[in-house]
Structures are given as structure tokens and as C-alpha cells.
Amino acid sequence: MESRSHATAAVVAVVFFLSAMALPAAAAIVEHTFVVSQMNMTHLCKETLVTVVNGQLPGPTIEVTEGDSVTVHVINKSPYNITIHWHGVKQRLNCWADGVPMITQCPILPNHNFTYRFNVTGQEGTLWWHAHVPCLRATLHGALIIRPRHGPSSYPFPKPDREIPIIIGEWWQVDLAVVDWNLRYYLNDYDPSASTINGKLGDLYNCSGVMEDGYVLDMEPGKTYLLRVINAALFSEYYFKIAGHKFTVVATGANYVSPYTTDVIPIAPGETVDVLVVADAAPGRYYMVALPNQSPKPEGQSPLIITRGMVQYSNNHSSYRDKEGAGGPSGDVPMAPEMPDQHDRMTSFYFHGNLTSLHHSQRLPPAHVDEHLFITLGLGSVCRRGQSCTRSGSQESIVVATMNNFTFQLPAATTPLLEEHYYNSSMMDTLQELPDAPPRVFNFTDHALIPEGPKEAQLEPTSKAALARRFRYGAAVELVFQSTAVMQSESNPMHLHGHDMFVLAQGLGNYDPARDVARYNLVDPPVLNTVQVPSLGWAAVRFVADNPGIWYMHCHYEFHLSMGMTALFIVEDGTTVDTSLPPPPSNFPTCGNDNNLVPDEFYLQTRKSEVSHINGV
Ligand code: C2O
């Protein structure tokens, strides 16, 4: 990973320093070229065709200083329509660069190019980039690291000796475009074959007795390491541990938090967590392990895919053998961490509930709220054809993922919605407003709703629509996300583009304003772009809609995203140039005839054997 990203930096990244003299460093333009193409990779004795950037998995790391400008030339040599999203970058007055296909831009068609330009201002820490094309982000992603303008000595924590990205991901041995297609029509369940740390599967996986390579981090005794942990996996929240070591959490989502000590990092898809690790254990070798968690039965269970790498004390590797029993791991067997159970959701709940922001005095959440939304997250079903059909597991209906009983459908347009919005087209009137609350109130977290059946069927009058909500510029918005038990009890990592959210409170069971508003942290809430809404629980957030444009708000579990758990937040212009969306960039791509990832026809004609039997599609 390290050497790979340095090599990449040498080959593709050209940094033009406008001035190298001044301290603090003057703003620079950091330039990269991303060539998206397909290549074969072999793991577990099987060669798989994967779509990657610059032949790397994970893709190149973008390293910048706060306030820099970033230019990324994307050259699409893959057969897919591609966009790249800069996850967590606020894109102030720059919604055009947010990278959501058919919302902010036409996708970059095969054999086409597009250059993204954006600034990273007012954010420090770890973010990441990924394709915003359903499922393809499993192999099209990388770290985006923003360092302080005044240099590493201005970190609000002891200056680390080294900084290491740790990207948790998954290895898929199926065509990811097929996975997306199946999720959209709720046909087949797919599972990843393995999980990965920095692209390596690790020695818990072998094929024909040959172990997979694992990620190895060499540590020097006494030194401090800043691990920038990113969950790029499609499907699971992970627990991450290093045997014999503790973490001090210092930032999440490129916002500093009050230092928090823990021996386990729960990290949901879309989240980033920066932690300090001090090499203060007895010299030796220690496993680092990432284990996905999942809801217990009666829900369907995915095979448990655990990955592990290793921390190894470099200059003591030979001597520790002689010191067997001297406090370090004995013999040649590295020490393994004790992991939480795969069905443990409370470790995540407490971790997320314990975070508080560091620089709270400068950034308080809005005390007064203009708009309140209560949003239920769950599953539902819509008829494959027509208005009426048998639901609840019947072949006539498709299971979809919902917010307040709506599932998202892209508006039928040949122009990205942001252009329609910018030019005030009447198309915008056809959007469905995301209601303030679900159509009915029931016991949202009733366990009896989990297995598909009559109880759940009564509650799911679900519709498909281009779901959107308008906010006037500067509106203070409160969102309460309520996870429900309708057909499943997953947690929901809810991600908002273009804005950070103050996370005021979370709880288990049903949200009750009479009880829960009093628990809001209005003093030092953590500030996140992705909030993990607990399984069978809720989370309350506030944000200020002060970035004009159209912003995706969605669950970062890819199956929920492909199944429609998305809404658009439209932030209107303010009254000045500084508060209004500028015109589209001049080099903006134009749309093709089919702007989906891959057209349905493509599957029906060429991939019949790969997709399961389709009833009525
Ligand atoms: Cu990380 Cu809309 O995504």
C-alpha cells in the first residue's frame, strides 16, 4: 500500500506549488489522472475481472493540504458508465463536481473523459473517493487525506511518527454490475467471498493450501502511528482491532473529536475514523483483524468473512524469539485479538454514542430549527407491473428499500437533474416531496415484523418516486432517522452529500420526542457526513442547508442504495452570488442514450445465464 501509493504519486500525481516559500504552505493544485479500466486479479484460485483505477486496488491515495485545489482527470476505459464521488468533501458552491450520475452530471461514458475540480477547505482528516455507480465502488475507491495547512505540528494531538491508511474492503468473485442488477429487481442475494485490509485478504483465506497475503504494518517500538481507517465495503459494518494495542480516536469524517480511548473501532460503510496507536507493547507480532457484524436470526445470515493483517515490531523481530515469555507473544504465533461477536450491535452503539466534537466552541449546532423531518428507514414492496399485486414475498412484487414508505426512482430525464434545477425547468415540478413523517405510526421496532408475513404486509403501502425535499438557503433542519424492523433489522449508515451533520443523540427502540429531545447534545455533538442509525433504534441530527444544489441523502449499505433508500435534498439559492449555485463547468459531459450503469437490455440479451430467472421484468 505504502510503496504502491508512492509509486503512483511519482507516476500520475503532479503537484504544482504556487509558492513553496511561504509558511504556512500556500494553496496548491494537486493533480491526478485516474484511468478506469478492467483487469484480471486472482484470489482464492479464481481469476476475476475487476474494474479499477490505475491498475490498483485500492486505488490511488489523494493527499492534500487543507485549502488546496484538487484536479482529477478521469479517463474511462471501462465498459461502464462511471462517475467519481468525493465522499465527505463539502463541495461548497460546487455541486457540479459531486459525482452522482444523472443527478449532478451525466455519467462519463466508456471511452470518454472528464476532469473534476474541487477545493478542500475547512476540513482536515480522512475522507475517501469512490465510484458512485452501484456496487462498482467495491473496487473503485481510495483514500483522500487532508492535512492541516500549518503542518503536522498543528494536529490537535501528539504528532504521529507515521500515517497509514487502513482501507477495509471486500473481495467479490462475481460481476458487480450483475449484483446491482439483481438487487434492483430483488432476485438473488450475493455475498462477498472475502473481506480485505488494504486490498489483501489475509491468511484466514487459502485455496489449495496456499494462504492469501495479508497486510503487514511494521512498527518501531515507542513510535506513534496515525491510522486512517476507512470502510469501503459494500455490505457490512466492521469491528477492527489490533491485539495488545489500544486506539485513541482523534477524528471521524474529517472532523476532530475529543480523544477517546478504545480497543475496538466499529466502522460502518462510508465512515472514516482516525486513530492513534502507540507501539508500546512487548516486541513481537500482533494480528489486526476486521470482522463484519450482522443482525441475528431470524434474518438471513451471510457467511462470516473475517480478514486479518499483522503488526510487526520491525527491529525486534529476531530478538523477540529469544525473549519468549517476556510479556510478548510466545513462540512464532502472533497474538490474536479477542473480537466482539458477529451479532453484537451494542459495541457499535456505545462507540458512536461516546463521540464528542473537539472544537465545539467554534461550531455549535443550530439551536433553533426551521424544519423537522422524521424519516423511517425500512423495506417495503412494489408491484413489478401495474398498481395491484400480491405482496409479501410473492413473485409479483419486488422488495425495495424505503424512506417514509417511498423508494427512490431516478426521474426519467436525459439531462442531469441539477441542470434542470439550474435552468428552472418544469421537470422539477414532477418530483415527489419527501413527507415530514411516515404515513402511519406503529411500533417501528417490533421484532414480529422481521420475518416477511401478514403483519409487515399491512404496513407497506410503498410507492416508487423521484423523492426530494426542498430547503430554503440557510434553513436549519432536524432529521430523526428511525430504523424499522420491517422485514429486517439492519442498522443504516445514512450519508448526506455536501453537508456535515451534528449528531445530537441516538437511542434504541422508537424515538419519542417527549423523552428524547431532552437528551440532545447541543454542546459538543460529533460532526459527521455519515451517521450510523442503530439497528432497531434512531439517531437525531441537525444541519444547516447552506450549500446550494441537489444533494444525495442515502444509506451507505449498497444493497439499500441499489434498492432505493435515497432522497434528494435540494438547497435553493440565497440572495447573493456567494450563496448561489454557479453555472455548470464548461467541460461538462453530455449524456448518452442510456445513462444507467448498464441497460436492462444488456442483461436480458447478453447475460441471461448470469441472472436468475426473471419473472415479469
Ligand atoms: Cu460515499 Cu453517495 O456516497
Side-chain angles (χ1 to χ4, degrees):
M1 176 80 200
E2 274 281 280
S3 58
R4 188 197 279 159
S5 58
H6 287 150
T8 308
V11 178
V12 297
V14 189
V15 180
F16 300 102
F17 286 101
L18 298 177
S19 159
M21 312 291 284
L23 264 179
I29 299 171
V30 177
E31 191 166 358
H32 283 255
T33 298
F34 279 13
V35 179
V36 183
S37 69
Q38 293 194 297
M39 68 176 201
N40 280 310
M41 292 182 72
T42 301
H43 286 297
L44 305 173
C45 297
K46 187 168 179 258
E47 192 170 73
T48 308
L49 189 63
V50 291
T51 312
V52 291
V53 168
N54 297 350
Q56 304 168 26
L57 180 58
T61 298
I62 298 180
E63 299 186 60
V64 296
T65 301
E66 188 275 325
D68 283 353
S69 302
V70 182
T71 298
V72 182
H73 309 286
V74 179
I75 299 173
N76 185 9
K77 293 195 184 303
S78 83
Y80 301 120
N81 293 338
I82 297 289
T83 62
I84 305 286
H85 169 59
W86 318 95
H87 179 115
V89 174
K90 283 196 203 140
Q91 304 288 13
R92 168 119 185 107
L93 300 183
N94 196 30
C95 190
W96 303 107
D98 197 41
V100 183
M102 294 318 288
I103 303 299
T104 64
Q105 68 168 101
C106 298
I108 310 167
L109 305 173
N111 294 313
H112 284 65
N113 308 336
F114 175 57
T115 298
Y116 289 93
R117 293 177 207 278
F118 56 92
N119 297 325
V120 278
T121 309
Q123 298 180 278
E124 290 175 18
T126 306
L127 296 173
W128 59 301
W129 57 267
H130 60 80
H132 216 298
V133 178
C135 297
L136 285 191
R137 75 169 175 81
T139 55
L140 290 170
H141 61 249
L144 198 171
I145 293 170
I146 310 168
R147 298 206 171 81
R149 174 129 310 269
H150 295 269
S153 50
S154 64
Y155 280 133
F157 45 79
K159 183 173 161 304
D161 296 290
R162 273 180 72 199
E163 302 185 10
I164 317 279
I166 298 281
I167 303 182
I168 299 170
E170 289 154 349
W171 176 245
W172 290 81
Q173 289 180 306
V174 288
D175 182 334
L176 288 157
V178 173
V179 176
D180 168 57
W181 198 85
N182 274 275
L183 287 171
R184 276 191 284 141
Y185 294 107
Y186 204 69
L187 296 170
N188 266 343
D189 256 353
Y190 284 102
D191 290 306
S193 306
S195 53
T196 57
I197 295 175
N198 289 342
K200 306 213 177 213
L201 283 67
D203 63 1
L204 292 174
Y205 299 95
N206 75 75
C207 110
S208 308
V210 181
M211 272 192 267
E212 287 281 342
D213 270 355
Y215 173 71
V216 178
L217 172 60
D218 286 313
M219 299 217 297
E220 273 181 62
K223 297 251 148 112
T224 300
Y225 295 78
L226 175 60
L227 307 186
R228 299 173 175 278
V229 189
I230 298 169
N231 183 349
L234 297 187
F235 277 21
S236 301
E237 181 183 39
Y238 279 80
Y239 288 131
F240 178 73
K241 280 184 97 165
I242 300 177
H245 293 77
K246 280 200 181 336
F247 303 115
T248 304
V249 182
V250 293
T252 55
N255 287 295
Y256 294 118
V257 298
S258 310
Y260 171 63
T261 308
T262 172
D263 64 351
V264 58
I265 310 292
I267 185 165
E271 288 191 299
T272 56
V273 181
D274 293 0
V275 299
L276 296 174
V277 181
V278 181
D280 57 2
R285 296 190 299 160
Y286 300 87
Y287 282 123
M288 61 168 79
V289 176
L291 172 145
N293 65 38
Q294 62 182 333
S295 295
K297 285 180 180 164
E299 288 187 39
Q301 297 292 295
S302 299
L304 182 60
I305 46 165
I306 305 175
T307 180
R308 73 181 178 192
M310 197 189 294
V311 157
Q312 139 181 307
Y313 280 54
S314 45
N315 53 1
N316 279 285
H317 186 213
S318 52
S319 60
Y320 89 92
R321 292 173 202 232
D322 311 327
K323 286 197 237 160
E324 223 171 278
S330 58
D332 237 356
V333 183
M335 188 193 276
E338 198 179 311
M339 298 304 288
D341 187 81
Q342 60 162 318
H343 296 126
D344 168 0
R345 312 308 294 258
M346 294 313 290
T347 297
S348 165
F349 181 75
Y350 291 129
F351 175 89
H352 287 98
N354 280 336
L355 299 175
T356 55
S357 73
L358 184 63
H359 293 312
H360 43 126
S361 49
Q362 292 138 40
R363 276 182 91 190
L364 285 174
H368 164 82
V369 171
D370 300 302
E371 305 225 27
H372 288 267
L373 278 88
F374 178 75
I375 302 172
T376 53
L377 309 168
L379 299 187
S381 66
V382 293
C383 298
R384 285 189 194 275
R385 290 166 187 279
Q387 294 298 313
S388 71
C389 60
T390 324
R391 294 178 186 244
S392 200
S394 117
Q395 276 295 308
E396 292 171 31
S397 63
I398 312 172
V399 175
V400 291
T402 64
M403 290 190 204
N404 287 349
N405 290 43
F406 281 101
T407 185
F408 185 76
Q409 181 170 42
L410 266 180
T414 48
T415 314
L417 205 61
L418 191 58
E419 284 185 46
E420 306 277 6
H421 168 72
Y422 182 78
Y423 295 110
N424 273 321
S425 125
S426 57
M427 144 107 254
M428 297 303 287
D429 303 333
T430 65
L431 305 181
Q432 163 67 48
E433 174 167 274
L434 169 66
D436 290 352
R440 62 176 110 174
V441 174
F442 57 97
N443 177 4
F444 300 113
T445 52
D446 178 1
H447 275 86
L449 293 166
I450 296 173
E452 253 175 297
K455 197 155 190 195
E456 137 272 317
Q458 286 170 5
L459 295 168
E460 47 148 280
T462 300
S463 330
K464 224 173 183 182
L467 196 60
R469 179 82 183 205
R470 277 183 179 274
F471 299 107
R472 94 178 145 66
Y473 182 87
V477 182
E478 178 173 305
L479 307 173
V480 175
F481 293 110
Q482 173 74 58
S483 291
T484 71
V486 182
M487 290 187 247
Q488 53 130 49
S489 65
E490 274 310 327
S491 53
N492 294 282
M494 300 306 293
H495 173 47
L496 173 60
H497 289 206
H499 300 79
D500 277 340
M501 302 175 278
F502 296 94
V503 185
L504 306 183
Q506 58 165 14
L508 299 176
N510 298 323
Y511 173 76
D512 173 4
R515 177 194 61 204
D516 295 322
V517 170
R519 298 179 33 216
Y520 282 7
N521 176 359
L522 296 169
V523 178
D524 58 0
V527 185
L528 300 171
N529 61 60
T530 305
V531 54
Q532 173 70 325
V533 183
S535 163
L536 300 179
W538 55 270
V541 307
R542 286 185 189 169
F543 73 97
V544 180
D546 58 1
N547 193 4
I550 303 185
W551 306 100
Y552 237 36
M553 192 275 282
H554 64 90
C555 183
H556 221 284
Y557 281 131
E558 210 70 354
F559 58 109
H560 284 169
L561 177 58
S562 286
M563 291 164 71
M565 196 183 282
T566 298
L568 306 174
F569 280 3
I570 305 172
V571 179
E572 289 169 353
D573 285 345
T575 50
T576 60
V577 174
D578 274 4
T579 56
S580 300
L581 181 70
S586 52
N587 61 339
F588 223 41
T590 46
C591 292
N593 291 330
D594 201 316
N595 303 297
N596 287 320
L597 165 59
V598 213
D600 290 349
E601 281 309 305
F602 175 77
Y603 286 95
L604 294 174
Q605 284 163 19
T606 66
R607 303 253 174 125
K608 262 196 186 126
S609 57
E610 285 180 60
V611 297
S612 58
H613 184 68
I614 306 148
N615 214 342
V617 178

